[in-house]
Amino acid sequence: MSSLRADPSSSRVHPAPLLVDHFDRLPDPLLLLIFNRIADVKALGRCGVVSRRFRQLVPQVDAVLVRVDCVISDDESASPAALSDKARNPFASFFQAFLGNIVKPLQALGLFSGAKRAQLGPSSSSSSSLAVGSERDGEMDQGGVTHHSPTQVLKNFNEIRFLRIELPSGELGIDGGILLKWRADFGSTLDNCVILGASSVVQSGPVKNLVGSENGTDAGCANDDNGSIPESFYTNGGLKLRVVWTISSLIAASARHYLLQPIIAEHKTLDSLVLTDADGQGVLCMNREQLEELRVKPLSASSASKRTLVPALNMRLWYAPHLELPDGVVLKGATLVAIRPSEQSGLKDMADGSWISTAFEEPYGTAARMLVKRRTYCLEMNSF
């Protein structure tokens, strides 16, 4: 009898191919480089739940962006419509804006409540808070979003060097057509502030043969500078409007500075801190030396208004009734104000316009460089 033999090759068991996670092949420094490019704190939070390795690496990120989704008010008398009106129209009531409405939207940075979820109901106590929204574990507030303060969001990041916080909008509500931008640098107090405003902005068309706009002449400016302040500067409410611009911008900047103290104290690795807004209205900047100065020197603050006290100031003002930029943008009633504390500002310091001309992005950087070539007006302001 012949015996049947099974073919060994047909009975061989082939193991299933192993799945390879290609992220495991990437070294930690490369992953950290990717996470630093992501920067957005919400996206980093999502990365942290992908794997145990990601969860360990995300807190080591050194560049973080926090976008504040909303300003939550627990004031019983504040309806959403009323809050919107206050936030967007402070010029309608200047003196109220001077002491209250400009500062209030930022007070949340001093009212961070850790992991406590924001209460939106009418039973809450009177306060305001900034909130970063997220969906988490099915646990949600109104609108399906759980709110956390920036301090709470940042608490697990222990190596932040570059921090950027973006508010949902500027604090200073302005009428349609008005341009208002400011940039302020702070240490333990105000180092400098530059404000650019215009009563209206008109888009015409690219200006051809604009000779001298960048080489020291007044091309693009209406030539009415006869040694005195042009009449258009102080008629039809123009002077009052520029006083509002200056004081309101300084209050907004000092409020941001005061309310950033908890973050600065907690994150000692910071090299740069920027607090801006989605409208591009105001930018507060602090470098490493300024951050360290704030930690070392006592802060002069107004506890009642929740802001850093503004010291006595020297100001330089430039004005052009009509300023035409090379890209065709026309600024009417263009005003540039450069501000330094009186104890720091000297003629030589003010004459060095590098910190003024680089304060704004284009096309407004060009506007600043054109304005500083015009006649300079000197002003002083007491501490407030």
Side-chain angles (χ1 to χ4, degrees), residues 150-373:
T151 296
Q152 178 67 15
V153 170
L154 293 171
K155 71 174 186 178
N156 292 324
F157 291 89
N158 47 36
E159 297 186 22
I160 301 177
R161 294 178 56 207
F162 308 99
L163 176 60
R164 182 182 179 90
I165 301 175
E166 185 177 289
L167 301 177
S169 62
E171 303 93 314
L172 310 179
I174 54 178
D175 296 333
I178 291 180
L179 169 72
L180 180 60
K181 291 183 174 291
W182 59 265
R183 175 193 164 109
D185 285 60
F186 276 82
S188 60
T189 186
L190 179 68
D191 276 353
N192 63 72
C193 182
V194 184
I195 303 167
L196 176 66
S199 56
S200 67
V201 181
V202 180
Q203 181 72 48
S204 58
V207 179
K208 297 181 180 180
N209 300 323
L210 186 61
V211 179
S213 64
E214 293 293 330
N215 63 9
T217 65
D218 284 336
C221 300
N223 189 19
D224 62 350
D225 190 354
N226 58 5
S228 61
I229 298 179
E231 184 178 353
S232 58
F233 179 79
Y234 53 83
T235 57
N236 298 321
L239 178 58
K240 177 183 176 182
L241 182 62
R242 283 156 182 81
V243 171
V244 171
W245 290 348
T246 302
I247 296 178
S248 299
S249 298
L250 288 169
I251 290 178
S254 62
R256 291 189 187 188
H257 178 252
Y258 176 86
L259 299 167
L260 283 174
Q261 290 179 88
I263 293 177
I264 296 171
E266 185 172 343
H267 296 276
K268 294 182 170 55
T269 57
L270 281 172
D271 287 337
S272 172
L273 174 57
V274 175
L275 177 52
T276 184
D277 56 78
D279 294 339
Q281 185 181 91
V283 181
L284 182 147
C285 301
M286 300 182 71
N287 59 32
R288 185 171 185 82
E289 291 74 20
Q290 292 166 331
L291 290 162
E292 189 59 32
E293 178 185 318
L294 178 60
R295 297 188 188 103
V296 174
K297 292 184 178 180
L299 180 71
S300 297
S302 171
S303 58
S305 56
K306 302 295 182 184
R307 64 176 179 82
T308 303
L309 289 177
V310 177
L313 303 171
N314 282 346
M315 299 186 289
R316 300 292 185 269
L317 183 146
W318 298 268
Y319 174 75
H322 180 97
L323 185 69
E324 193 165 0
L325 305 182
D327 64 353
V329 174
V330 176
L331 305 183
K332 295 186 177 180
T335 307
L336 180 69
V337 184
I339 302 170
R340 287 272 202 184
S342 299
E343 62 181 16
Q344 297 181 13
S345 56
L347 293 178
K348 182 178 180 180
D349 185 41
M350 277 291 189
D352 177 15
S354 60
W355 60 281
I356 302 172
S357 59
T358 60
F360 305 107
E361 296 181 352
E362 295 301 333
Y364 303 112
T366 297
R369 289 190 291 273
M370 293 172 70
L371 283 167
V372 295
K373 297 166 187 174

Side-chain angles (χ1 to χ4, degrees), residues 79-93 101 171 173-174:
S79 66
L83 289 175
S84 177
D85 290 342
K86 288 180 180 180
R88 307 303 301 178
N89 297 288
F91 291 148
S93 180
N101 294 339
E171 303 93 314
I174 54 178

